[in-house]
Amino acid sequence: MKKLVLPLSLMVPMLVFSQSRKKDTAKVTDIEEVVFQKKVIGRTNDITNIKISAKDAQNVASISGGIEGIIKTLPSVNSNTELSSQYMVRGGNYDENLIYINDIEIYRPFLIRNSQQEGLSIINPDMVSTVNFSAGGFEPKYGDKMSSALNIYYREPEKFELSGEASLIGGRLTTGLASKNKKLTALFSGRYRNTNLVLNTLKEDTDFNPTYWDFQSYINYHISPKFSVSFIGYYSKNDYEMVPKSRSVDFGSLQRPINLTVNYAGQENDKYKNMMGTFSMNYKPSDKWKFTLDSFAYQNREKEYYSISSAYILQTFDPITGAPITSYDVGGQIEHARNDLFVRTYGTQFRTRFSPNVNTDIEVGFKFEKENLRDLTNEWKLVDSAGYSTPRPLDDPRFGDHSDLDLYYSISGNNHIEPTRLSAYAQYSQKFYWGTNKVFVNAGARVSHWSFNDETIFSPRFQFAVKPDWDTDMLFKLSGGVYYQSPFYKEIKDLDGNFNPNIKSQRSLQLILANDYEFFMDNRPFKLTTEAYYKKMDNLIPYYMDNVRIRYSGKNNASGYAYGLDARLFGEFVPGVDSWLSASYARVYENIDGQGDIPRPTDQRFRFAMFYQDYMPQFPSMRVNLTLTYAMGLPTGAPVFTNPYTYQKTLPSYKRVDIGLSKVFIDSKSKNKTYGFWGNFEELILGVQVFNAFNINNTVANQWITDSSTNLMYPVPVRLTGRFFNVKLEFKIK
């Protein structure tokens, strides 16, 4: 065995060895590949990575979407609403997660306030081949976010195919093409969704008309075995129309039940239009070298228009007779917004990988981005209670009050910036033997600069894994580094509606210790993964969270920390299909202006989730999948412009069970036994989905109603969807 000593890295000193062994019958030195786990499709050096089956993502019963729906069953991931494809990871918020398609970063809409406004996720499950997800401690090639990285790779069809789905809430149609020599491949997919039927399970009298549709394409041309080009195109148009009429909510306790009755006038009309195009060139002159040049452009046009007035009565009832006995408040309010946002980002990135042998990788990348943000904000709220506006001095009403009428809040801004963002990374990966133990190291750093705030950040990261030469199949992993949350549109916008050029990146120092234990039970494979992590954070920007909207204060005036323990048991609970159980305990705190530690709005505490698949042994064409989630309630969140330290209660726990039942009439195995017209089908599946099977009234947030006589604010729960039955038909023709 020959040892190769490498220079010390900038932040993490380590000694790396290369491993070679001689053949017994020849004087030739070969490099033996060091394999830590079973080989899977999709090469990656990230030991924090979790691979998710694209087929499982298509099977999961989920309103929000296949990929995100199944990611929410992982132990480190939390979401308290089924209508949103967004998720929170290890105490982070929705904005702290990286999402890539074919190694190119993508963006979500920015003005989404309520989960029912969300349309289709940009990730199309029918086009996916590989799903890689890291909940933290990810490698330097991924960008500057503090929580997680999701990298999706689209697939290339091998021949002509046509597949589709039709259900009560939408449908999709996907076609794939491939030339005879497979030099040219193309994948096209269109989707449509209307969640009106699902939203009608909300306990309120409201007319909804949410329509979402998109179109995606993925085209590859292999000019030669060494050189290829590809293109990804994306266009989506989401419209959300809502006309509220009335709403009645019961809350409080058995001893003091309270009812809020609201009558509305007005409407909301939101439009979200997104476009993206990427062009990539891949050159692989040999097995040792690979070069990739990507050009990309992204454009987002959003309009949030609403004018809604409401009149409400807040009263309590006799717990025995049910008769109203006290009226806390009678009043009304007007909410108005004319918010317009235009975002355009374009640029190029160059990546190269050098692999001198099968156990060594050296990767370098550079990225240039030009950004154009235009933001017009005009949003205000007027609160009126029994004839006088809030906020206003509560003097004796017999004498009146001649002070000015004030709005409850007013946010206005006219912002336009065109900054430039530069970033680069370098990382080194090595697998080798340390005695008879297998060892893996990955170390590197990334650096980036943003011209808007003239800030340069440096992010060193490392990963280390050792697989002892034991009879027990175990892998120990240690990862961490410095992770920044590079600011963008949301973080730089303060509560007055202006962009703050002095804003800085939020910073998180992370350390993750993990263990993988693979074993067999009843002759079936299982894998138990446990992870413990700690994050120390500073330069935090406090924020208010209402439903899925995050509104930042625009100031780096907080610090914090997070810690937790995750566990996941993955395996074939039923022979031939994968299922898993997830559990996690996590806490996250912040300290704003030195006032002391309080839970952040994303403090999830305990969470349990399960994704289970089964079939009937005598009738394997009858299949079922079940998704179960229990999560302790998130903090109620403080109303905007209030002190978060005075609002420290939590929402009720989130509990939900979704079930998918399907009958497979034709699959790839039985296709040859089918004749006539049905012989053209590769798959034909009829399914029934039961969303929220136990009809649990979950709460996503609170609506705060003020009792003007006492200045008390009552948290009125905002409920989520009830039970809904969906029928869908899936087919595939090849």
Side-chain angles (χ1 to χ4, degrees):
M1 183 186 300
K2 153 176 96 168
K3 296 183 179 180
L4 174 64
V5 181
L6 296 177
L8 295 177
S9 68
L10 292 175
M11 297 295 293
V12 185
M14 60 183 60
L15 191 63
V16 181
F17 306 93
S18 66
Q19 172 68 21
S20 63
R21 291 185 176 180
K22 292 185 178 181
K23 291 185 178 180
D24 296 334
T25 59
K27 296 181 179 180
V28 179
T29 301
D30 289 339
I31 300 295
E32 178 183 347
E33 183 174 4
V34 182
V35 179
F36 285 80
Q37 302 284 358
K38 297 176 182 177
K39 290 186 179 182
V40 290
I41 299 173
R43 178 177 180 179
T44 178
N45 289 317
D46 198 327
I47 64 170
T48 67
N49 175 71
I50 298 175
K51 284 193 175 292
I52 299 173
S53 166
K55 187 65 175 178
D56 291 342
Q58 288 181 317
N59 292 337
V60 65
S62 170
I63 297 178
S64 60
I67 301 298
E68 292 89 344
I70 204 166
I71 286 176
K72 292 178 182 180
T73 64
L74 299 179
S76 51
V77 183
N78 189 31
S79 177
N80 64 336
T81 170
E82 66 276 0
L83 292 172
S84 173
S85 61
Q86 302 186 73
Y87 49 85
M88 300 169 285
V89 180
R90 291 179 175 170
N93 63 38
Y94 298 129
D95 300 329
E96 296 180 12
N97 305 304
L98 288 162
I99 300 179
Y100 292 84
I101 294 180
N102 289 15
D103 295 310
I104 298 174
E105 186 178 356
I106 62 174
Y107 299 88
R108 295 177 182 269
F110 298 97
L111 296 183
I112 296 290
R113 293 180 300 110
N114 298 318
S115 52
Q116 59 258 38
Q117 295 172 333
E118 283 199 41
L120 294 159
S121 165
I122 189 174
I123 303 171
N124 187 332
D126 206 35
M127 302 176 68
V128 171
S129 67
T130 306
V131 181
N132 296 324
F133 178 77
S134 172
F138 42 84
E139 55 189 340
K141 75 175 185 179
Y142 293 122
D144 296 305
K145 297 280 189 181
M146 291 197 300
S147 289
S148 72
L150 172 65
N151 199 351
I152 304 292
Y153 291 98
Y154 278 178
R155 62 185 178 88
E156 291 189 53
E158 297 182 354
K159 57 181 179 179
F160 171 78
E161 62 178 63
L162 181 66
S163 63
E165 175 188 299
S167 74
L168 297 179
I169 58 176
R172 60 169 173 80
L173 187 65
T174 303
T175 182
L177 304 169
S179 61
K180 290 184 178 180
N181 55 10
K182 296 183 181 179
K183 277 195 169 186
L184 177 64
T185 64
L187 198 61
F188 304 97
S189 184
R191 296 180 294 173
Y192 171 80
R193 174 169 292 188
N194 188 318
T195 56
N196 182 42
L197 294 176
V198 179
L199 296 180
N200 284 338
T201 64
L202 298 171
K203 294 185 177 181
E204 55 187 77
D205 185 9
T206 302
D207 292 336
F208 294 102
N209 185 27
T211 58
Y212 320 114
W213 65 273
D214 73 355
F215 177 80
Q216 296 191 49
S217 62
Y218 180 45
I219 303 171
N220 281 270
Y221 183 63
H222 300 270
I223 300 174
S224 71
K226 297 181 179 181
F227 185 66
S228 65
V229 295
S230 64
F231 172 80
I232 296 178
Y234 171 76
Y235 177 84
S236 74
K237 187 174 184 295
N238 300 335
D239 295 335
Y240 176 78
E241 297 178 6
M242 180 191 71
V243 181
K245 296 179 180 179
S246 63
R247 178 185 177 211
S248 179
V249 182
D250 295 316
F251 62 103
S253 62
L254 291 175
Q255 290 73 28
R256 194 179 67 166
I258 303 176
N259 173 266
L260 173 71
T261 301
V262 188
N263 292 299
Y264 296 96
Q267 65 178 355
E268 179 174 354
N269 191 346
D270 304 327
K271 297 182 182 297
Y272 311 93
K273 187 184 296 183
N274 302 288
M275 293 176 285
M276 184 185 76
T278 67
F279 179 78
S280 301
M281 294 185 291
N282 297 279
Y283 179 55
K284 192 174 182 181
S286 66
D287 292 337
K288 293 184 177 182
W289 287 98
K290 182 180 179 181
F291 303 94
T292 302
L293 180 64
D294 303 309
S295 298
F296 55 88
Y298 169 84
Q299 181 170 300
N300 188 20
R301 183 74 171 89
E302 302 182 33
K303 293 183 178 181
E304 183 184 42
Y305 290 2
Y306 60 84
S307 294
I308 299 175
S309 62
S310 59
Y312 63 87
I313 179 171
L314 188 68
Q315 57 187 343
T316 187
F317 298 86
D318 187 291
I320 300 176
T321 65
I325 56 175
T326 303
S327 176
Y328 287 108
D329 195 19
V330 177
Q333 64 186 35
I334 301 175
E335 295 180 89
H336 173 90
R338 293 294 184 270
N339 299 330
D340 288 84
L341 175 65
F342 174 84
V343 178
R344 176 181 292 162
T345 301
Y346 59 91
T348 185
Q349 64 180 17
F350 174 77
R351 295 172 287 125
T352 182
R353 185 178 69 216
F354 174 58
S355 306
N357 56 61
V358 293
N359 294 322
T360 307
D361 283 321
I362 301 172
E363 299 180 62
V364 177
F366 174 81
K367 185 178 181 182
F368 165 83
E369 292 178 272
K370 183 67 177 179
E371 302 162 346
N372 186 349
L373 280 74
R374 294 177 181 267
D375 172 67
L376 297 174
T377 301
N378 181 13
E379 182 179 344
W380 51 264
K381 181 178 181 179
L382 172 68
V383 177
D384 178 82
S385 183
Y388 49 88
S389 177
T390 303
R392 201 177 187 191
L394 296 176
D395 296 331
D396 191 331
R398 294 174 299 172
F399 302 103
D401 185 351
H402 302 288
S403 62
D404 293 336
L405 288 172
D406 293 325
L407 295 172
Y408 187 76
Y409 68 78
S410 177
I411 304 173
S412 61
N414 186 349
N415 306 287
H416 180 206
I417 60 174
E418 296 186 60
T420 300
R421 196 184 299 265
L422 301 174
S423 61
Y425 72 89
Q427 65 182 47
Y428 178 87
S429 304
Q430 176 76 58
K431 300 175 185 176
F432 57 93
Y433 280 97
W434 184 9
T436 58
N437 304 310
K438 299 174 183 178
V439 177
F440 169 81
V441 291
N442 182 343
R446 64 180 294 112
V447 60
S448 64
H449 177 83
W450 198 31
S451 63
F452 173 71
N453 58 359
D454 196 26
E455 180 188 35
T456 301
I457 55 178
F458 177 71
S459 176
R461 305 171 186 179
F462 75 94
Q463 298 178 344
F464 175 83
V466 58
K467 188 176 181 61
D469 186 18
W470 296 346
D471 292 335
T472 303
D473 192 351
M474 302 193 78
L475 176 67
F476 297 91
K477 299 179 288 187
L478 179 68
S479 59
V482 181
Y483 293 81
Y484 287 89
Q485 179 77 14
S486 184
F488 197 51
Y489 166 72
K490 284 188 176 182
E491 291 90 342
I492 66 177
K493 188 174 181 179
D494 60 25
L495 295 176
D496 295 325
N498 301 311
F499 287 176
N500 178 11
N502 298 316
I503 202 74
K504 299 298 181 183
S505 297
Q506 303 175 89
R507 185 173 63 174
S508 170
L509 282 71
Q510 301 183 13
L511 187 66
I512 301 107
L513 179 64
N515 170 258
D516 291 346
Y517 171 40
E518 294 194 18
F519 60 96
F520 280 84
M521 186 167 57
D522 291 335
N523 294 321
R524 298 196 297 270
F526 287 86
K527 180 179 179 180
L528 175 64
T529 300
T530 54
E531 296 189 45
Y533 64 89
Y534 179 80
K535 301 180 183 180
K536 179 67 175 177
M537 300 173 286
D538 56 15
N539 278 343
L540 293 181
I541 308 172
Y543 57 86
Y544 298 92
M545 195 163 108
D546 178 19
N547 208 307
V548 297
R549 176 174 64 176
I550 296 174
R551 178 165 281 165
Y552 292 87
S553 65
K555 296 183 291 184
N556 300 97
N557 62 332
S559 60
Y561 63 93
Y563 61 88
L565 182 66
D566 298 334
R568 177 175 180 246
L569 178 61
F570 171 91
E572 295 185 8
F573 292 84
V574 176
V577 291
D578 295 330
S579 303
W580 57 82
L581 304 173
S582 301
S584 63
Y585 175 78
R587 299 305 307 265
V588 55
Y589 294 92
E590 66 181 350
N591 186 337
I592 305 174
D593 289 326
Q595 300 180 70
D597 293 336
I598 58 172
R600 298 203 88 191
T602 53
D603 181 46
Q604 71 175 37
R605 296 175 292 162
F606 178 74
R607 187 173 187 275
F608 175 82
M610 177 174 67
F611 175 67
Y612 178 78
Q613 298 185 94
D614 200 354
Y615 58 86
M616 297 180 65
Q618 300 299 323
F619 304 97
S621 62
M622 300 292 295
R623 302 172 184 174
V624 61
N625 69 80
L626 180 146
T627 305
L628 179 149
T629 302
Y630 169 82
M632 295 183 69
L634 295 172
T636 55
V640 181
F641 304 107
T642 61
N643 187 353
Y645 284 80
T646 61
Y647 297 88
Q648 289 301 302
K649 293 186 177 181
T650 58
L651 297 171
S653 298
Y654 180 82
K655 302 173 285 290
R656 186 176 177 89
V657 175
D658 295 325
I659 303 174
L661 306 168
S662 62
K663 164 63 177 176
V664 181
F665 292 97
I666 300 175
D667 60 18
S668 57
K669 296 180 181 179
S670 63
K671 176 180 180 294
N672 296 329
K673 302 177 183 179
T674 308
Y675 300 93
F677 170 76
W678 302 107
N680 297 317
F681 286 85
E682 183 82 11
E683 289 183 2
L684 186 63
I685 304 173
L686 180 64
V688 176
Q689 296 174 320
V690 186
F691 298 129
N692 195 3
F694 295 105
N695 200 29
I696 300 172
N697 290 324
N698 288 306
T699 301
V700 66
N702 282 327
Q703 178 185 4
W704 297 93
I705 300 297
T706 303
D707 176 8
S708 60
S709 61
T710 62
N711 264 349
L712 292 176
M713 298 185 72
Y714 290 90
V716 181
V718 178
R719 306 294 188 188
L720 286 165
T721 58
R723 184 189 295 116
F724 179 76
F725 293 88
N726 184 38
V727 180
K728 68 173 184 177
L729 178 67
E730 299 176 273
F731 71 89
K732 181 179 291 185
I733 299 174
K734 284 190 176 181

